[in-house]
Amino acid sequence: ERVLMPRGPAESHGMEDARVVRFTEDDGTYEYLATYTAYDGRNITSQLLRTNDFRTLESIQLSGPGSRNKGLALFPRRVGARYLAVSRADRESNAITASDDLRHWDEPQLVQTPSEPWETVQLGNCGPPIETEAGWLVLTHGVGAMRVYSIGALLLDLDDPTVVLGRLTSPLLTPAPDERSGYVPNVVYSCGALVHGRTLVLPYGCSDTESRVALVDLDRLLDDLRPG
């Protein structure tokens, strides 16, 4: 029931698309981190929220080439001693960026470009990567003809997430007939999912009008993503 309101000039006209993750350090301690987009009426910037209790929150403006544009999504732990995030710095592709301090993000390394008809306009992520035994599961969003948004998925190597193990060639989720009308039509979009048992629980927004939850068989999804 916590409502966050804009506090600084960089977010005077809005805060949106918070991608929240429980981040665990190597020693087992954890905190909650959220990357979000701040809008000042003309420009956007990437911001980071940090908290342990959701009562006191620290907001930090991010810097570096990996933090450009919208949609930065943090991995839930360090990989190779560094912080990693999925970046859409070029506005149309998915890439991996790294940081030593959670503030400055390096030049992103491209991992996925639009290739299917339902993602020809642009790609992005739908929240923080989820660690599975098969690899890092990244939910993606693709924008196709007529600005239709669909949700797809990508599987990345656990030790080197710049290595793509598999990707869906067909969408995991597309707008149903009763989800196509709204403030921003023809859109299904998410900022994060979680695993409960062997089920992927995927909350998503429908055309900026209402929210729904999709339940996905995790094993079947991973089978569709694995090589071969």
Side-chain angles (χ1 to χ4, degrees), residues 99-140:
S99 173
D100 292 319
D101 58 7
L102 280 175
R103 294 171 180 259
H104 181 87
W105 292 88
D106 295 348
E107 187 69 38
Q109 185 171 342
L110 194 65
V111 294
Q112 184 190 27
T113 58
S115 63
E116 304 295 336
W118 52 277
E119 59 187 23
T120 52
V121 175
Q122 67 184 42
L123 278 167
N125 69 74
C126 277
I130 297 171
E131 187 169 6
T132 75
E133 70 280 3
W136 294 105
L137 174 62
V138 179
L139 295 175
T140 64

Side-chain angles (χ1 to χ4, degrees), residues 19 21 23 33-35 48 72-77 83-86 102 105 127-129:
R19 288 158 161 81
V21 66
F23 187 90
L33 305 175
T35 49
L48 175 70
L72 197 71
L74 299 172
F75 282 66
R77 63 171 174 84
Y83 299 102
L84 295 185
V86 183
L102 280 175
W105 292 88

Side-chain angles (χ1 to χ4, degrees), residues 86-97:
V86 183
S87 169
R88 198 192 65 168
D90 67 356
R91 297 186 63 86
E92 63 180 33
S93 304
N94 282 318
I96 301 297
T97 181

Side-chain angles (χ1 to χ4, degrees), residues 121-161:
V121 175
Q122 67 184 42
L123 278 167
N125 69 74
C126 277
I130 297 171
E131 187 169 6
T132 75
E133 70 280 3
W136 294 105
L137 174 62
V138 179
L139 295 175
T140 64
H141 71 261
V143 184
M146 305 301 293
R147 299 292 297 180
V148 176
Y149 277 65
S150 301
I151 295 177
L154 190 66
L155 190 66
L156 306 178
D157 185 79
L158 285 176
D159 297 321
D160 183 0

